[in-house]
Amino acid sequence: MKGTNTTLRNAPPERTRFKLQGRSVALDRRVHAARGDLADLSLAGTLFSAHYARAVPLTCVAAGTPILASASPTAEAVSELLRGERFHALDVTTDWAWGFCGHDGYVGYIRRDALDVEEQATHRVTAAVAPLFSAPDIKSTIADYWPHGALFTAEAQDDFFACAEGFVHKRHAEPVSQEEPDWVAVAERHLGQPYVWGGRGHRGIDCSGLVQVALGRIGMAVPRDTDLQCEGIGTPIDNDAGLQRGDLIFFPGHVGIMTDGKTLLHANAFWMAVVKEPLADVVARLATDHPSPIIARRRICA
């Protein structure tokens, strides 16, 4: 990576000529990295662009950092990366990187100082929040707080996992190889967390972020936004069928998780938090603006 306004173009020694197979097509720019001057090299046969770049995988080293719609600290947050997750950079300047998230392909801008070289994580935070101790001692100074789902590379040391930045208590993390039996229980660990647009668990989370991070714990690759989730995960539930734990309920621009046949778990802007409440209450609240509040019911077969 070079200095300001340097595009990452790891081109082969000989210039390659790309040829479109048919017309350039319109793609969903949320999940296809293409902008006016540059596109992901993988799109070269599909989409015309003035320049193409091969993505360079990097690792988020901040506890959590937003993915923004443009290269400005005041831009809208469209998603979020947690510590240890990958970002595939296509263009890097002094302050910003443009590219896409490794876990879902979501495109946006991220602060350059939140990224470092690619890292192979060995452990994952399982607590709602894990203090990062400066020494292997619970009375030591807290260097940072890592969110649920943060990934890091560490070795066991007495009651702690020792990593480059500090020490995480063994009660707060586990090896990434350890399986999670109940993805809804993962979502429930976020109860009480503030609702934050674009959040995925660092100091806040939104409705589709909650679904994504929880299902991600059982190895399901889930799209970022509610419309993509409604189209791409689970199977439809018949209107006359009863609901059960783990069913997803989709509303206009919103999604929630059933914890049993009647209770919905969701991050929402009404309560500005992750809460559990009767599904009937949510439907009644939305009915003033939407005659048919529920637009889809889908079952996850995990």
Side-chain angles (χ1 to χ4, degrees), residues 28-215:
D28 188 336
R29 298 300 176 93
R30 291 176 296 175
V31 290
H32 293 94
R35 65 187 192 192
D37 63 332
L38 183 65
D40 184 1
L41 182 63
S42 67
L43 301 176
T46 304
L47 182 77
F48 175 79
S49 178
H51 301 284
Y52 298 95
R54 182 178 290 111
V56 175
L58 301 169
T59 295
C60 176
V61 291
T65 195
I67 303 298
L68 302 175
S70 63
S72 167
T74 60
E76 178 187 349
V78 295
S79 193
E80 182 177 58
L81 273 189
L82 305 181
R83 201 263 176 249
E85 293 184 324
R86 287 193 179 91
F87 186 80
H88 296 266
L90 295 164
D91 186 27
V92 176
T93 68
T94 301
D95 300 319
W96 298 96
W98 176 74
F100 55 93
C101 302
H103 60 276
D104 61 4
Y106 213 85
V107 178
Y109 291 82
I110 187 172
R111 290 186 359 256
R112 175 63 186 87
D113 59 9
L115 300 172
D116 207 335
V117 296
E118 188 176 18
E119 175 184 314
Q120 298 298 322
T122 59
H123 292 77
R124 175 189 291 107
V125 171
T126 54
V129 178
L132 180 67
F133 296 97
S134 57
D137 182 346
I138 61 173
K139 296 181 181 179
S140 66
T141 302
I142 306 299
D144 203 350
Y145 292 90
W146 284 353
H148 177 87
L151 301 165
F152 59 102
T153 303
E155 294 182 356
Q157 183 174 325
D158 298 324
D159 291 331
F160 294 85
F161 294 121
C163 60
E165 296 97 322
F167 300 83
V168 178
H169 199 278
K170 287 183 177 179
R171 296 286 190 190
H172 296 156
E174 66 184 17
V176 294
S177 59
Q178 189 161 326
E179 294 184 358
E180 173 58 54
D182 185 353
W183 71 271
V184 180
V186 174
E188 289 174 319
R189 291 174 201 158
H190 292 272
L191 276 167
Q193 190 169 37
Y195 174 87
V196 171
W197 178 269
R200 295 179 59 252
H202 179 238
R203 300 178 181 172
I205 198 165
D206 65 18
C207 63
S208 56
L210 181 64
V211 170
Q212 185 187 65
V213 298
L215 283 171

